[in-house]
Amino acid sequence: MAVFYSLSYRWQKKRYGKAATKTPLAGIYQATAPASRSLMRENRFLVVDCEMSGLDASRSQLLSIGWVVIENARISHASGKHLLIHADRGAGESTRIHGLHDATIAGAKSAAAAITLLAKQVPGSVLVFHHAPLDLRFLQQTAYDNFRCPLLFGYVDTMLIEQRRLQLQGAESGLRLAQCRERYGLPPISGHHNAMTDARATAELLLAQTSYLGGAGRVSLGRMGIQCSRHQYVRGV
C-alpha cells in the first residue's frame, strides 16, 4: 500500500500540478508528500469532517467543514475551525442529522472560500477522516467545480484503521464514529452531527488507536494505512 500511495501521489501531482498553478490550490501541489515510513509523532495531522445536504455528491452540496490539528501527538484545540457554507440548493434532506437549516447557512461563506481556507492548512499535513470516501467525494467535487483541479494530500481513515484491527482479531462490530470511540473508553458524542465536534471526536479516536498500536513514537504512517486523495471522485474527469 505504501508503494501505491507514493506512485499515486506523484502521478496526480504531475497530472494536475500545472492546472493548479494559478489557483488557491497551488501550495498543496508544491508541498512534499508525507513519507509513509515517518512516525506518527513526526507528522502534523489535520483532522477534517464535513456535513452535506445529502449523500449524493452529484446532487448535494457541502454545508459545513470542521477541522482541528494534531501536533506532537496532541490535539491543538486552539486550531479548531468550523466553516458554514452557503448552499444555493438549500440544506436538503439531511437537516435532521446535522441540524443545519436554510436560515443557518444563509449568507455563509461560499464553497470556493471554504476550500481556499482548507487548502491553506493542507501543505505539511496528513489529513484524517472517519469514513473518508464520503467526505472526499464532496471535497473533491467542490474543489473541481470551483478550480477545475482536485485537492492533493495524504490521508488516513480512522474507520479503516478500526476495521483492520477488528479483522486481525477475528471480530465484527460497528464502525460508526461513536461505536469506535466507545471501544477505547472515549465519552459518547451527544446531539446532532456537527463538523467541528466530529473532527475533534475523530482526533481523539486517532490518538487512542495510535496508543493501542504502540504509540506515536513507534507507529508509522504506512502502518496506519496512509493513502493519497484520489481523482476519480471528481465528476467529469
Side-chain angles (χ1 to χ4, degrees):
M1 180 175 284
V3 174
F4 180 76
Y5 156 71
S6 180
L7 290 174
S8 179
Y9 197 103
R10 279 186 285 173
W11 181 85
Q12 293 190 73
K13 192 171 187 176
K14 182 178 181 180
R15 177 170 180 177
Y16 296 108
K18 187 176 180 180
T21 302
K22 296 182 179 180
T23 76
L25 311 188
I28 63 176
Y29 279 84
Q30 295 165 358
T32 303
S36 61
R37 64 180 179 279
S38 62
L39 299 175
M40 294 292 284
R41 186 183 296 279
E42 298 170 337
N43 286 279
R44 176 184 192 265
F45 295 89
L46 183 67
V47 189
V48 178
D49 187 79
C50 302
E51 299 299 336
M52 310 85 166
S53 59
L55 297 178
D56 184 348
S58 67
R59 296 186 303 167
S60 305
Q61 295 175 278
L62 278 175
L63 299 181
S64 68
I65 304 175
W67 67 73
V68 68
V69 170
I70 299 175
E71 286 185 298
N72 299 316
R74 292 186 177 182
I75 299 172
S76 170
H77 291 286
S79 68
K81 192 79 172 178
H82 186 212
L83 302 176
L84 295 178
I85 301 170
H86 177 75
D88 52 16
R89 282 170 273 173
E93 62 202 38
S94 301
T95 292
R96 62 183 176 79
I97 296 174
H98 46 61
L100 296 175
H101 298 269
D102 291 351
T104 314
I105 58 175
K109 291 186 180 299
S110 68
I115 292 294
T116 297
L117 289 172
L118 176 65
K120 290 180 179 178
Q121 295 290 321
V122 171
S125 300
V126 177
L127 271 66
V128 183
F129 302 91
H130 189 79
H131 189 31
L134 179 61
D135 291 322
L136 283 177
R137 277 199 296 273
F138 279 84
L139 289 173
Q140 296 293 51
Q141 185 67 60
T142 305
Y144 197 82
D145 285 346
N146 285 278
F147 304 115
R148 309 309 296 170
C149 183
L151 296 160
L152 174 64
F153 49 77
Y155 72 93
V156 296
D157 186 338
T158 52
M159 178 181 280
L160 283 182
I161 294 169
E162 192 65 7
Q163 186 177 43
R164 284 196 296 269
R165 187 179 77 85
L166 291 173
Q167 287 173 343
L168 287 172
Q169 295 176 345
E172 292 185 9
S173 191
L175 292 171
R176 292 182 181 276
L177 179 57
Q179 294 170 319
C180 294
R181 284 173 56 86
E182 184 178 5
R183 283 193 286 274
Y184 293 89
L186 295 169
I189 307 168
S190 59
H192 287 113
H193 280 278
N194 173 283
M196 185 70 259
T197 301
D198 286 355
R200 291 187 192 280
T202 301
E204 292 173 349
L205 175 60
L206 179 69
L207 293 179
Q209 290 173 322
T210 303
S211 178
Y212 177 86
L213 291 171
R218 300 180 64 182
V219 178
S220 69
L221 288 180
R223 188 175 175 193
M224 300 300 270
I226 189 169
Q227 301 179 61
C228 178
S229 57
R230 301 175 69 178
H231 70 287
Q232 63 259 39
Y233 296 118
V234 180
R235 179 178 55 202
V237 175

